[in-house]
Each structure stands twice: as C-alpha cells, then as structure tokens.
Amino acid sequence: MSTTQERAAAQKRFSLGKSGFDTVDERFGSSRFLTSVLDKIFPDHWSFMVGEVAMDSLIVLIATGVYLTFFFVPSQKDVVYAGTYHPLVGQHMSEAYQSVLNISFNVRFGLVIRQAHHWAALIFLAAVVFHLCRVFFTGAFRKPREINWVIGLTLWLTVMLEGFTGYSLPDDLLSGTGIRVIYSIIEGIPFIGTWLAYLFWNGRYPGDIFITRLFIVHEFLFPALIVGLLTAHLMILWRQKHSDFPGPGKTETNIKGSRIWPQYTMKATGLATMVAGVTFLLAGLVQINPIWLYGPYTPYTVTAGSQPDWYVGWLDGSVRLWPHWEFRSFGHEIANPVFPGLLIPGIVFTLMYVWPWIDKKIYNDYGPHNLLDRPRDKPFRTGVGVAAIIFFLDLTLATATDLIANNTHIAFERLIEILQYGAILGPIAGFAIAYKACQALQRTDAHPIQKPVGGIITRDATGAYHTLGDIHIAHDGHEDGAGNGHGNGHKEEAPAPAEETVAGS
C-alpha cells in the first residue's frame, strides 16, 4: 500500500470514529458530561490520597477474592486429610479447612493470592481508620457533610464485619475460637439470644452449615453493601465537592487543586500501582495467618496466645477486661459477655454516629463549612479524639495479655488490673494533655519566634536603613509578607492551582 493510500485509509478511520462519537454525543450529550468530569478539582493535600489507598486496596481485595472463590469449598463436612502437608496427614478436619490447605500448598500462586487478600484487607481497614481520624480531627464531618460521616462509619462497621467473616472461613483453630466467642455473645442476649444462636448455627453449636452461611455473607451480602455505601459516599462527595485545608486564596466557596485529568489521574494511577505493588510484596515476603500451624478447629480445643486481626482487637480486649459481673432481671440472666461484646460497641458507635450534632451543640456552630479546622483550634474536639484513640489502644493491647504476661513476667491478673485502670484513666489523662497542648499551640501562633524570621534591609543615599519586608511563617506553612528569606527580594511563583466553585455555599 502506497503512502497516499495509507493516508486515505487513516482519514477514513478517523472520519468513522468521529462520526461514531458524534452519534453518541447527539443522543446522550456525553461530551458535556465528560468535560464536567475531567474538569473536576481535587485538593492537593497528601492526606486526601488516603481515601484512594482504601479504594485501591478494595480493588485488590475483590480481584484476589474472586480467584480464591474458585478453589475454596464452604463446607463443614468431616474429611480425613491426605494432602501434601505431611504433619496433618490422617487428621480429621472440615472440607473448608482442607480446601484452604490445598490453596496454600497446591494451587498455583494460591498462597501468594491468599496472603495478598489478607494484607489488602488490613491495608484497607487501616486506610479507612486513618481517613475517619482525619475527618474527625479537622471537622470535615460538619454541615453539609454529616450524612457522609454516617455513611463512612457504616462502611467502617461493614468492613470490620467483612474482615471478621473472611478470616473465620478457613475453619482453623484460631478462627474457630473467634466464632465461639461470637456465639457466646449472641447466646447471652436477653430474651432472644438462644433463638438467634439457634437460627444462625441451624441448631446446636458448632452445627454443620455455619461456614456455608458465612461464605454467602462474606462473598455476596457484605461486598454488595460495601460497594453500595462506597458509591453513595463518592456520589455525595462529587455533589458537595471536597473540603480543603485553609491556605492562600482558599475560601468557603471555592476549591483549589488539580484537575482530575490529567494531573490527578496520573497521581491516582501511580498510587494505585504502588498500593498493589506493596500488597503483593508483603504477600510474597511476609507470612500472615499460617493456618497449617494452628490446625483444624475442634470445639473443645482453644489455642493459647490467640489474637484476632488488629481492627477487632479492641472488641476482644473489652471482653478480656470486663469484670466478672452478671445480672438477673425479669427472670433472665444477663450473661457477662453481653456487656463488653454488645454494650461497649453500642455506646461507642452511637456516640460516633451522633458526634456531628454534638459538635454543633458544643460550638454553637450550625453553618456550612468547606474549610477544615486545625486540630489545635478546637481543643475539646481534639481532646475527645485523643481520649478515644487511647481507649481503643488500651483495649487492643488487652487482646495480647497472655503474650505480654509471658514475655514481661508480669502476673496475668496484675496485667489485667493495669489495663482496666488504663482504660479509664488513660483517656482522661490523654484528654487533659491534648486539651492543654492545643491551648499552648494556639499561643505559639502569637509567639515572637513565629513572626519575623528574616527581612531585607536597604540603605538609601542619606545612609539611613529601611526594612523592606519581614517574613512571617503563617500557620499553614506559607510565607506571608513582602520578603522571601533568600535575601534577594525575588520569589519564584508556583503555577496557580485550578479552582472550582463549591455548589450550595
């Protein structure tokens, strides 16, 4: 084919392509939609990318989960193991446990995919927790974003349950111990507990169908709920637009940052590649959840030194620290596990759900906000957040009391008492320290060392000295003043960020 013929063929293909796009655009107005999408503005602050880490981890979770589904057998049918892992040959176990052993030792890439699935779940939850902390400490939950705060908390709760159901599926001795704890908590609910336990386990514990039901919940129910909540979260975010940290030129009615195409897309793509790379690097190099070392689950056996994944550690710790209290009311025994297993989480999540409205009352602030707070400017809110973190850390530490006692030679009972006091006194001390620290940091804004740190002095023809400008480092880290600290009066201007008006402000 000659050059002329090739050029004509290319023009024909371009014409056909353009005609196809025009046909679609005439019917759906896609060009206007794409233009508005590509012009979307995202703030440049690094902390906003943590939400991207959560979404990237979710993609890894879904992809690896689909792969594992091809080989996992959700059955509690008793079998005798005859596989390639010799220490367990001849032992009775469930088909579920046997299939996970098969995934780990016989399926091509099975162990790496299974560990990547587990690591991705941990990264996903860590990103969600960090994102929630940022939203709380900066006041990003304030009007008009209260509903998105509620959706985010529900997403966190759902993801925790999804994670718990996931590591319970292998039916190994560690996961079976966790399920036994949950069974006891459900059975202890007054009036309806025994009925609920009978319903979930289809009879007496451990039953023969619970793993099958757990598999359906883990593979279909919770993932659908997570995708739905995440979609709602992003749709509301898209409509209300991002909040942003204060800075030069930023107001309550505009957003400055990078357009979604090409700047933000390039950053997001790079981050997604890094998240996937780190996840699979961990999966290949760092062992996690070696179920073959735990052995198959039998109801009369409990492992010493067993701990759940970190995100439910605070729930396990609350069960360990709760005193041996039981009450009898209306002829029914309220069993001990109900208080730490249901009462404490119920109080915690209720307070978190209604916090946006409590915050309004505290600060008598009912207006919309798109600019974020500095944590130091809201000492009470910051103190509450620090107290909550200390409370969670204390309970999480309690989940490893047996390991700590063995390694530190502290008596187990003494360690429990220390952590019980810590769960009460630690948050109080944390609140007081954070509150005072915020007040002290506010005073540093007016401290002389935070004001002029340099300037330009000139001398005129008469010999007199004049200060042309001082440098003031503002709280947001930007230089404020005529000087620039380089002593030559020249300041290199950065490219102006893209800007978008916030709707409804």
Side-chain angles (χ1 to χ4, degrees):
M1 182 180 290
S2 67
T3 305
T4 305
Q5 289 174 323
E6 291 176 349
R7 187 181 299 114
Q11 288 176 345
K12 185 178 180 180
R13 288 195 298 271
F14 175 76
S15 177
L16 287 174
K18 185 175 184 302
S19 175
F21 282 121
D22 289 344
T23 301
V24 173
D25 190 35
E26 288 171 0
R27 285 157 179 77
F28 301 105
S30 54
S31 62
R32 291 194 301 274
F33 173 74
L34 284 176
T35 301
S36 66
V37 168
L38 298 180
D39 281 343
K40 184 74 178 173
I41 304 297
F42 281 84
D44 288 326
H45 197 273
W46 64 270
S47 63
F48 290 100
M49 299 300 285
V50 178
E52 303 290 331
V53 174
M55 286 197 297
D56 298 336
S57 303
L58 181 61
I59 293 171
V60 176
L61 268 173
I62 293 173
T64 53
V66 170
Y67 185 85
L68 295 174
T69 305
F70 293 140
F71 306 100
F72 179 69
V73 181
S75 168
Q76 286 176 274
K77 180 182 176 182
D78 184 72
V79 296
V80 177
Y81 184 68
T84 55
Y85 186 67
H86 293 289
L88 292 178
V89 170
Q91 290 200 28
H92 286 265
M93 59 185 65
S94 67
E95 276 192 303
Y97 184 76
Q98 180 182 249
S99 68
V100 179
L101 289 177
N102 186 45
I103 290 172
S104 302
F105 296 117
N106 301 106
V107 174
R108 192 179 297 274
F109 304 118
L111 182 58
V112 171
I113 298 296
R114 190 171 79 80
Q115 295 200 144
H117 191 68
H118 203 132
W119 277 115
L122 299 185
I123 295 172
F124 180 48
L125 273 151
V128 171
V129 169
F130 185 92
H131 186 68
L132 281 172
C133 288
R134 184 193 64 79
V135 169
F136 179 85
F137 283 107
T138 60
F141 53 79
R142 294 172 299 172
K143 186 180 178 181
R145 297 179 176 82
E146 305 98 322
I147 301 302
N148 237 2
W149 169 259
V150 172
I151 291 175
L153 283 177
T154 308
L155 181 62
W156 178 38
L157 181 61
T158 307
V159 170
M160 281 202 304
L161 294 173
E162 171 72 348
F164 177 78
T165 57
Y167 81 71
S168 298
L169 282 177
D171 202 26
D172 59 280
L173 189 54
L174 178 62
S175 66
T177 304
I179 291 176
R180 185 67 181 85
V181 173
I182 296 299
Y183 178 83
S184 299
I185 292 173
I186 294 176
E187 196 178 32
I189 298 174
F191 306 112
I192 61 172
T194 53
W195 295 96
L196 284 177
Y198 189 90
L199 176 66
F200 292 155
W201 273 266
N202 194 36
R204 292 183 177 180
Y205 183 86
D208 56 2
I209 200 172
F210 185 69
I211 293 295
T212 305
R213 292 180 172 178
L214 206 62
F215 177 74
I216 295 172
V217 170
H218 181 75
E219 289 297 318
F220 300 104
L221 182 61
F222 282 152
L225 191 56
I226 289 171
V227 172
L229 289 169
L230 191 59
T231 303
H233 182 76
L234 294 176
M235 289 176 65
I236 293 174
L237 174 67
W238 194 272
R239 176 68 182 90
Q240 295 178 338
K241 298 183 175 55
H242 262 292
S243 55
D244 200 0
F245 290 93
K250 296 180 180 179
T251 68
E252 293 282 7
T253 57
N254 71 353
I255 294 294
K256 289 194 171 188
S258 303
R259 284 190 170 83
I260 196 170
W261 179 263
Q263 296 96 331
Y264 190 80
T265 302
M266 294 298 105
K267 287 195 291 186
T269 304
L271 183 64
T273 306
M274 289 178 60
V275 170
V278 169
T279 303
F280 278 93
L281 199 63
L282 286 170
L285 299 177
V286 184
Q287 185 183 74
I288 189 169
N289 198 22
I291 62 159
W292 53 89
L293 299 181
Y294 307 146
Y297 176 62
T298 50
Y300 53 83
T301 308
V302 176
T303 53
S306 59
Q307 289 86 38
D309 281 346
W310 67 268
Y311 51 87
V312 289
W314 66 279
L315 295 171
D316 183 82
S318 65
V319 174
R320 297 189 185 212
L321 293 187
W322 190 261
H324 302 293
W325 295 344
E326 288 188 339
F327 299 94
R328 191 169 183 82
S329 179
F330 299 104
H332 290 268
E333 190 79 15
I334 303 177
N336 181 274
V338 173
F339 299 101
L342 291 178
L343 183 64
I344 290 181
I347 294 173
V348 167
F349 276 98
T350 300
L351 285 175
M352 293 177 72
Y353 272 117
V354 301
W355 181 261
W357 292 272
I358 296 176
D359 194 86
K360 287 179 184 178
K361 285 283 185 184
I362 292 172
Y363 294 108
N364 194 27
D365 183 358
Y366 296 88
H369 292 281
N370 295 309
L371 287 180
L372 301 174
D373 287 330
R374 288 189 310 170
R376 70 175 65 173
D377 293 334
K378 303 293 182 184
F380 184 83
R381 182 197 300 156
T382 302
V384 170
V386 171
I389 289 174
I390 292 175
F391 179 71
F392 283 123
L393 288 178
D394 187 271
L395 295 186
T396 303
L397 197 62
T399 198
T401 44
D402 38 9
L403 290 180
I404 297 172
N406 284 336
N407 290 303
T408 61
H409 304 292
I410 299 175
F412 183 82
E413 295 78 6
R414 178 64 61 190
L415 187 61
I416 290 291
E417 289 178 358
I418 292 172
L419 292 173
Q420 284 175 333
Y421 284 116
I424 298 172
L425 300 179
I428 296 173
F431 175 86
I433 294 171
Y435 191 91
K436 290 295 182 184
C438 288
Q439 290 182 327
L441 287 170
Q442 287 181 32
R443 287 193 293 271
T444 61
D445 291 341
H447 194 276
I449 199 171
Q450 293 294 327
K451 288 188 170 178
V453 295
I456 299 174
I457 298 175
T458 61
R459 188 180 184 187
D460 61 20
T462 64
Y465 290 93
H466 303 278
T467 301
L468 291 182
D470 291 327
I471 296 174
H472 172 69
I473 305 300
H475 64 74
D476 55 6
H478 292 79
E479 293 179 0
D480 182 15
N484 53 48
H486 298 292
N488 56 9
H490 173 71
K491 184 176 182 179
E492 186 176 346
E493 294 291 339
E499 185 173 348
E500 183 180 24
T501 302
V502 176
S505 297

